[in-house]
Amino acid sequence: MVQTIAKPNGLQYLPFEDRISSIDRSIAEIAGTSSPAERLGEIRGLQQQLVREIKRVYSSLSPWQTVQVARHPQRPLFQDYLGGIVKEPRILHGDRCFGDDAAIVTALGQIGREKVMIIGQEKGRDIKQKIACNFGCPNPEGYRKALAKMKLAEKFGLPVVSFIDTPGAYPGIGAEERGQAQAIAVNLREMSRLRVPILCIVIGEGGSGGALGIGVGDRLAMLENAYYSVISPEGCAGILWHDGTQADKAAKALRLTARELHKLGLIDEIIAEPLGGAHRNQHETLHHVELYITKTLRELKRIDVETLLQQRYERICRVGDHELQRQLPAEEPIAADETPKIPERLSITAQLEAAKQIVPDTPEELETLEEESPQPVSE
Amino acid sequence: MTTTKISKSKWDGFSLKPRREMPEGLWLACPSCREMLFRKTVEDNLHVCPKCSHHFRLDGRTRIRQLVDEGSFEEIGADLRSTDPLRFASSGQQYCERLKSAHAKAGSEAILVGKAFIRGRGVILAAMDFSFLGGSMGMVVGEKFCRGVDRAIEESLPLVVISASGGARMHEGVVSLGQMSKTSAALARFDEAGGFFLSVLTDPTTGGVTASFAMLGDIIIAEPNALIGFAGPRTIYQTIKIELPEGFQRSEFLLEHGFVDMIVPRKDLRSEIGRLIDYCGKP
C-alpha cells in the first residue's frame, strides 16, 4: 500500500508532497485564526505558492511516484465513475458457473447518449469493501462474468467500455483450481473478435495479465497518472535485485507510465488529469473521462463491424511489430530520466543486416540463473 | 491460519538455485529419484529417467527431433531477432547483451516454429525452449507464433504447440504483454478458419503463456507431472503464506480440475499426436 501522511484538510499526502502539505497546513492555520479576513493577501500568496509547487512536483513525477499516485487511497475508483458518469446503471451479477466476483463489476448503463455495457475492476474504498472485492484482484469467475456480459452486449449490439484498475489477477489456490489462466486466455481470444466496439481505459493500476483480461479492444486509453505494466515494480525489483524496496529503479526500467507507453505506441490516448492528480479533483477527472468515452464511441460506432474487427486485429498484432524491424542504436545505455530517442526506421535490407549483427561470435558467460527462473506475469 | 515454513528439500516449485538437470559429462543424477544415470541411457530413453520416469526438460531442437519424421522440419521466421524496446537496464547488464549470449547458446529464440511431418501427417509445429531466458514470451515469440498460425491457415494444416515457459518476458514490458493478446487473436482467426490446434503443456508452463495460447487448445494434453499454472508456486506462497497442497499445479491436478484433456507420457506423445490429428485434422 502507498504510504501517506495525514492531512490538515482530509487530503492524504504522498511522501514526496512534503512542501505541498506544509503550505496547505499554513493556509489552514491562517484560516483557523480569529480574523482570517485581514490576512487575505497572505492566504492568496500562499495559494499561489501552492499551485506553483503542485505544478512543479506533478510536471516531473518519476515513474515510481506515478505508481504511488495511481495507488493513492483517495483516487477515484470504478464505483465513482459508475456513480458519476453512468446514467441508470443496472449492475449484473454472476458468471452463471461458479459465483460472483466483486473485484469485477459489470453493469448496463448509459454514458452520454450511448447505451453501453460497462465492465470495471473495483478495489474498494474502505477496508470492508476492500476485503469484499479482494483488493481489486479478480478471481477466474470475475473474468468469466465479464465475458458472459460482453457476449450479452454483443447480442444486443451494445458497445463495451472497460475500466481497468487492478494490481493483478489473484494468485491463490482457489484461483488456480478454477483456472485463472484459462479464464484470462479465453477472454483475450473472445475480446479480439467480439462484434461490438470495445473501449478500454486504465484508470489506476494496470497490473499485467489481470488488466489484460478485460483490456483487449479497439482503443486503449490511460489516465495521465495511471500505470500499465507486465509486472509490478516491486515484483520486478524482487526478481532483478532480490530486493522489493528498489521498486523505483524497476519502475523506471519498465516504462510503465502513460507518457512512455504512448511514446512507444502501445496506447492510443492519454486522458489528462487535473492539477495535482485525479484525487485532487474527482469531478474534473470524471468529466475528462466521460468526454473521452463519448467522443471515441461516436467514432467507433461509425465503423462497420467487419472493418472494426479487421482494424482491431491489426491493432493487436502491431504491438512491438515495428520494434522487430527497427534496430536500435544499441549499446549506449540511456539514463532513465532522459527522454528516449526513437530511432528512425531503416530500410528492410538494412534492418535485416542490422538484425544479423545481434548474433555475437563468441558465447558469453552464463547468466546468473536466478534471473532466468520463471517470472510469473503477475504477483 | 497456520504458517508453515517450507523446508528447502520439500519445496516443489521453482528453485532459485540452478537446477542441474543436464550437466555435461557421462553421468547425471535424476532430480526426482536421485539415481545416478548413464547419460546415453537417458538420451536414448527420450530424456526420461528409466527408473522413475521423471521427464527431463528438453530444449526446442531436441523436442522437435524427438517428434518429427526425420529431416522434415522446415523452420519459419528463423531470422527474427528481438530488439530491446525499453532499453532495459538491469543489474548492470543490458537486456540486449543477455539476448546475445542466450542466442549464442541456444542458436534460436525461445520458440522454434516450422512446418514438419509427424508420422506422415503434415503439421505446423512450435516448440518452446525453457533454457532461453526462461522460455519467456517476447515479441519474437509472438511474431513467430503468429506466422506459424498464418501458415497453418494458408495450408489448412493442424497446429501443434509444445509449451514450456515462465510467462511474459519482463524485459520487454507491455510489448510482451501485448503478445498474449496477439497470439490469442491469431488463434481466434485460426479457430474461425476451422483449424485444429493441439496444445501440449510441458514442465513448466506458467504465467502469460498459460494465460494465452497454451490454454486455448482444441485439445490440451500435458506431460506427466509438469508444473502448469498462472502464478508460480513461489508467488502464491508469498501471497497467501500457507503451505501449498501436494501435487498442486501439476498435470494430474489440472486433469482432476478439468483443464487438460489427457496426460501423455513422452514415449507415446508422437503417436498420440498422430492419432488425434487423424480425428480432428482436415482430411
Side-chain angles (χ1 to χ4, degrees):
Chain A
M1 271 283 95
V2 184
Q3 262 193 341
T4 51
I5 309 156
K7 57 179 171 186
N9 52 1
L11 189 71
Q12 294 180 33
Y13 296 98
L14 294 166
F16 55 89
E17 292 181 323
D18 282 354
R19 283 190 57 193
I20 299 176
S21 80
S22 73
I23 299 172
D24 256 348
R25 210 171 304 125
S26 356
I27 295 176
E29 265 166 29
I30 296 173
T33 54
S34 52
S35 51
E38 289 160 22
R39 298 170 73 179
L40 265 183
E42 208 178 319
I43 292 184
R44 200 161 295 144
L46 279 171
Q47 277 170 340
Q48 279 165 358
Q49 208 184 326
L50 179 71
V51 170
R52 266 202 305 276
E53 181 61 18
I54 295 180
K55 258 188 198 154
R56 189 186 65 78
V57 170
Y58 275 82
S59 60
S60 58
L61 285 179
S62 74
W64 176 237
Q65 287 169 339
T66 308
V67 172
Q68 287 170 298
V69 176
R71 292 173 180 169
H72 195 285
Q74 289 163 325
R75 193 176 174 84
L77 297 170
F78 174 65
Q79 51 180 292
D80 302 314
Y81 292 90
L82 192 64
I85 62 178
V86 182
K87 283 171 235 159
E88 299 273 330
R90 290 290 177 273
I91 295 178
L92 307 172
H93 292 279
D95 70 343
R96 304 293 190 274
C97 208
F98 176 81
D100 182 43
D101 186 0
I104 292 185
V105 177
T106 52
L108 289 165
Q110 195 175 336
I111 298 179
R113 289 164 149 193
E114 298 292 344
K115 295 194 201 89
V116 291
M117 175 63 80
I118 299 144
I119 316 278
Q121 284 164 333
E122 176 61 53
K123 290 208 252 181
R125 182 67 72 196
D126 53 38
I127 193 69
K128 207 170 150 194
Q129 278 183 3
K130 278 188 206 295
I131 289 168
C133 40
N134 208 11
F135 298 85
C137 297
N139 273 297
E141 46 275 17
Y143 292 106
R144 298 207 172 100
K145 169 167 80 171
L147 184 60
K149 307 311 171 196
M150 284 189 267
K151 293 270 181 191
L152 179 72
E154 183 182 36
K155 182 174 173 187
F156 297 105
L158 302 170
V160 174
V161 182
S162 156
F163 293 82
I164 296 164
D165 189 11
T166 179
Y170 188 61
I173 293 182
E176 294 289 331
E177 282 174 340
R178 298 191 294 277
Q180 187 75 284
Q182 192 260 0
I184 293 175
V186 171
N187 276 23
L188 301 184
R189 183 181 66 192
E190 298 307 320
M191 287 179 87
S192 78
R193 62 178 174 190
L194 201 77
R195 300 177 70 81
V196 286
I198 306 177
L199 171 56
C200 311
I201 306 169
V202 185
I203 54 172
E205 294 187 84
S208 91
L212 194 65
I214 61 162
V216 179
D218 301 297
R219 295 281 186 279
L220 175 62
M222 278 175 82
L223 279 180
E224 199 180 337
N225 293 317
Y227 81 89
Y228 188 27
S229 176
V230 68
I231 184 170
S232 74
E234 291 92 335
C236 176
I239 290 167
L240 290 181
W241 301 291
H242 307 285
D243 180 7
T245 57
Q246 304 216 36
D248 52 338
K249 267 163 80 183
K252 263 181 198 166
L254 285 167
R255 308 220 180 257
L256 39 65
T257 63
R259 271 195 199 87
E260 295 271 14
L261 293 171
H262 194 255
K263 243 182 252 168
L264 290 167
L266 297 170
I267 60 167
D268 300 288
E269 196 153 328
I270 302 173
I271 303 173
E273 285 183 28
L275 183 66
H279 55 282
R280 283 208 162 73
N281 191 342
Q282 181 174 314
H283 196 76
E284 200 183 321
T285 312
L286 262 54
H287 182 64
H288 288 170
V289 172
E290 183 177 5
L291 282 182
Y292 174 74
I293 294 174
T294 47
K295 182 194 83 180
T296 314
L297 282 183
R298 261 203 311 275
E299 232 171 76
L300 291 175
K301 279 192 88 170
R302 273 203 293 269
I303 307 171
D304 82 292
V305 182
E306 295 306 327
T307 324
L308 185 79
L309 289 179
Q310 183 59 30
Q311 285 176 358
R312 186 187 303 164
Y313 184 71
E314 283 163 12
R315 190 185 164 281
I316 293 170
C317 288
R318 216 171 44 221
V319 174
D321 208 33
H322 49 290
E323 275 296 336
L324 273 179
Q325 295 155 15
R326 166 204 289 166
Q327 197 52 46
L328 298 167
E331 268 60 89
E332 33 128 12
I334 291 194
D337 41 9
E338 203 179 309
T339 33
K341 290 164 248 157
I342 299 195
E344 302 208 332
R345 273 173 171 248
L346 304 169
S347 73
I348 296 288
T349 42
Q351 286 158 18
L352 279 175
E353 279 306 308
K356 276 176 196 152
Q357 283 167 13
I358 279 203
V359 191
D361 304 325
T362 51
E364 291 181 33
E365 284 272 302
L366 260 162
E367 303 120 311
T368 47
L369 256 123
E370 282 91 334
E371 288 172 25
E372 264 187 19
S373 71
Q375 300 132 14
V377 287
S378 85
E379 43 149 29
Chain B
M1 260 175 262
T2 50
T3 314
T4 323
K5 198 148 172 90
I6 299 181
S7 71
K8 226 172 199 157
S9 59
K10 268 182 77 189
W11 182 237
D12 201 23
F14 292 138
S15 160
L16 281 174
K17 288 273 159 56
R19 193 179 286 189
R20 295 235 171 263
E21 291 221 326
M22 279 302 197
E24 298 304 318
L26 282 175
W27 294 88
L28 57 95
C30 170
S32 170
C33 65
R34 309 265 162 224
E35 184 82 20
M36 284 308 286
L37 302 163
F38 192 43
R39 189 181 186 84
K40 187 80 172 51
T41 332
V42 177
E43 276 169 16
D44 290 345
N45 199 28
L46 302 171
H47 295 86
V48 176
C49 170
K51 293 279 185 305
C52 68
S53 73
H54 167 80
H55 285 53
F56 288 87
R57 289 175 183 172
L58 294 181
D59 63 63
R61 303 254 172 227
T62 317
R63 171 71 71 181
I64 284 168
R65 206 167 43 240
Q66 285 186 5
L67 284 178
V68 304
D69 301 346
E70 215 176 328
S72 70
F73 187 71
E74 170 207 322
E75 202 177 337
I76 298 169
D79 54 346
L80 287 171
R81 295 283 182 277
S82 291
T83 58
D84 180 6
L86 310 186
R87 268 134 289 175
F88 199 97
S90 72
S91 26
Q93 202 185 16
Q94 292 282 310
Y95 167 56
C96 42
E97 281 159 24
R98 299 194 52 194
L99 269 177
K100 271 188 207 171
S101 55
H103 258 300
K105 227 173 12 168
S108 66
E109 253 278 353
I111 194 168
L112 277 169
V113 183
K115 190 183 165 184
F117 287 91
I118 296 178
R119 294 201 144 194
R121 289 125 181 125
V123 295
I124 299 295
L125 177 68
M128 299 193 77
D129 191 342
F130 188 73
S131 61
F132 188 100
L133 297 177
S136 57
M137 173 160 64
M139 54 180 146
V140 168
V141 174
E143 179 64 23
K144 278 191 178 183
F145 185 94
C146 290
R147 288 192 188 181
V149 174
D150 288 347
R151 184 79 177 272
I153 295 175
E154 225 169 83
E155 304 189 14
S156 311
L157 289 173
L159 175 69
V160 179
V161 179
I162 322 284
S163 304
S165 170
R169 188 172 295 169
M170 189 177 71
H171 311 83
E172 291 183 20
V174 177
V175 174
S176 73
L177 203 56
Q179 304 310 316
M180 291 170 64
S181 29
K182 181 169 168 172
T183 51
S184 306
L187 285 174
R189 296 232 151 168
F190 187 57
D191 183 41
E192 267 152 32
F196 171 49
F197 172 33
L198 177 60
S199 178
V200 182
L201 313 178
T202 68
D203 186 57
T205 304
T206 58
V209 167
T210 326
S212 58
F213 61 84
M215 274 292 168
L216 293 175
D218 294 307
I219 292 181
I220 304 176
I221 59 190
E223 279 198 338
N225 202 36
L227 179 79
I228 302 159
F230 175 64
R234 189 158 41 117
T235 316
I236 299 178
Y237 177 69
Q238 279 164 0
T239 310
I240 59 177
K241 306 270 188 234
I242 52 171
E243 199 172 351
L244 303 175
E246 180 112 351
F248 180 63
Q249 290 186 318
R250 295 285 160 181
S251 306
E252 295 71 16
F253 172 92
L254 268 93
L255 185 76
E256 193 186 316
H257 287 92
F259 289 102
V260 298
D261 289 290
M262 49 179 161
I263 295 174
V264 179
R266 196 170 286 167
K267 66 176 167 46
D268 300 332
L269 195 56
R270 195 171 127 85
S271 58
E272 275 306 315
I273 292 175
R275 174 60 56 207
L276 290 170
I277 289 173
D278 286 346
Y279 281 122
C280 300
K282 285 179 185 168

